Amino acid sequence: MKPIEIEDIDKLPGIRIRENDTFCFRCYPEVSCFNRCCRNLNLFLYPYDVLRLKNALDLSSDEFLDRHVDIVLRPANFFPDVLLRMAENSQKTCPFLTESGCRVYPDRPDTCRTFPIEQGMLYDADRKKDTPLHFFRPPNFCQGQFEKKEWTIPEWTRDQEAELYHQMTIRWGGLKGLFQKDPWGPEGPEGPKAKMAFMATYNIDRFRDFVFQSSFLKRYKVKSAMLKKLKTDDVQLLKFGFEWVRVFVWNQKSKQIRLR
């Protein structure tokens, strides 16, 4: 999910698709380019992507992050990006690609579900609201763009079972956008505070241990009904992690989390 300045919208590649606009696309095993898009990618993984994938693969958060991602801190960025690590073969294929297709297809990342649509977020400073933007941008080799099946963005989202993914990505995008400014001070974006924020967003297992097995609940007041959910509900815990980062890093007020 990319933050976009309003003056840059017309400069972006692809065709902007508004809610009631349509685009044509269909992908299936018989199309000549099937699975070609699953090679040599810079595939960004958002926190909910990691949550779904590590559960699908029956891995801990630590195991998944160690085996399958590259964590990259780009110049002038203050929070790292997480990219899926490609396989070590000549074509640098997705590690989950098999001859018959994607072996994690029911839990594939948001970017894969959205393809060939790319998403962005337009921030309205006056209304203090993020608005999703969508662009039709298949690669040149994609033959699916010449199929006759028409979609609107809502139809495509429902077909790809992407509603919750999109909700979580938008929620993450709102938090990640705060890190266009440096909150870390002298300790920098690799210091202890930054590592805690990364844990709360990308390492759900360690964050749960942190909430329930450290002094967290002696420092923060959380309603008992919420705590009950956090023990078993990964999605609720991830949302809680986003909220806690806002409190912990940015000193924002929260109805869910209060200092004692």
Side-chain angles (χ1 to χ4, degrees), residues 205-243:
D205 295 329
R206 286 205 176 195
F207 184 56
R208 179 173 278 120
D209 289 343
F210 174 63
V211 171
F212 290 103
Q213 297 182 23
S214 75
S215 59
F216 182 93
L217 295 177
K218 293 180 181 179
R219 289 180 288 155
Y220 296 99
K221 186 176 181 180
V222 183
K223 291 182 179 179
S224 58
M226 174 60 70
L227 288 174
K228 185 177 181 180
K229 292 179 182 178
L230 299 183
K231 289 182 178 180
T232 58
D233 188 329
D234 285 346
V235 174
Q236 193 64 54
L237 181 62
L238 185 57
K239 291 178 180 179
F240 183 83
F242 291 173
E243 187 78 1

Side-chain angles (χ1 to χ4, degrees), residues 116-258:
I117 299 296
E118 292 191 2
Q119 300 182 86
M121 293 296 299
L122 178 65
Y123 179 67
D124 187 330
D126 293 331
R127 299 168 62 193
K128 295 184 178 180
K129 183 178 180 182
D130 289 319
T131 302
L133 299 177
H134 302 91
F135 296 85
F136 181 63
R137 195 187 173 195
N140 292 335
F141 64 75
C142 176
Q143 299 301 301
Q145 64 184 306
F146 303 116
E147 296 284 324
K148 295 182 179 180
K149 175 64 177 176
E150 286 192 349
W151 306 92
T152 63
I153 293 297
E155 288 170 344
W156 184 241
T157 300
R158 287 191 296 271
D159 183 80
Q160 297 299 301
E161 298 180 343
E163 292 95 336
L164 180 55
Y165 275 84
H166 288 359
Q167 291 170 20
M168 295 300 289
T169 298
I170 290 170
R171 187 183 289 254
W172 169 238
L175 174 57
K176 183 70 155 51
L178 296 176
F179 289 94
Q180 295 180 60
K181 297 180 180 179
D182 182 3
W184 309 123
E187 71 179 38
E190 295 182 354
K193 195 171 184 179
K195 289 179 180 178
M196 296 283 281
F198 185 84
M199 173 194 66
T201 52
Y202 275 102
N203 194 320
I204 200 75
D205 295 329
R206 286 205 176 195
F207 184 56
R208 179 173 278 120
D209 289 343
F210 174 63
V211 171
F212 290 103
Q213 297 182 23
S214 75
S215 59
F216 182 93
L217 295 177
K218 293 180 181 179
R219 289 180 288 155
Y220 296 99
K221 186 176 181 180
V222 183
K223 291 182 179 179
S224 58
M226 174 60 70
L227 288 174
K228 185 177 181 180
K229 292 179 182 178
L230 299 183
K231 289 182 178 180
T232 58
D233 188 329
D234 285 346
V235 174
Q236 193 64 54
L237 181 62
L238 185 57
K239 291 178 180 179
F240 183 83
F242 291 173
E243 187 78 1
W244 179 72
V245 171
R246 288 178 176 272
V247 174
F248 175 64
V249 177
W250 298 101
N251 296 314
Q252 293 186 358
K253 292 184 179 179
S254 170
K255 294 181 179 179
Q256 296 183 357
I257 310 166
R258 297 182 181 179

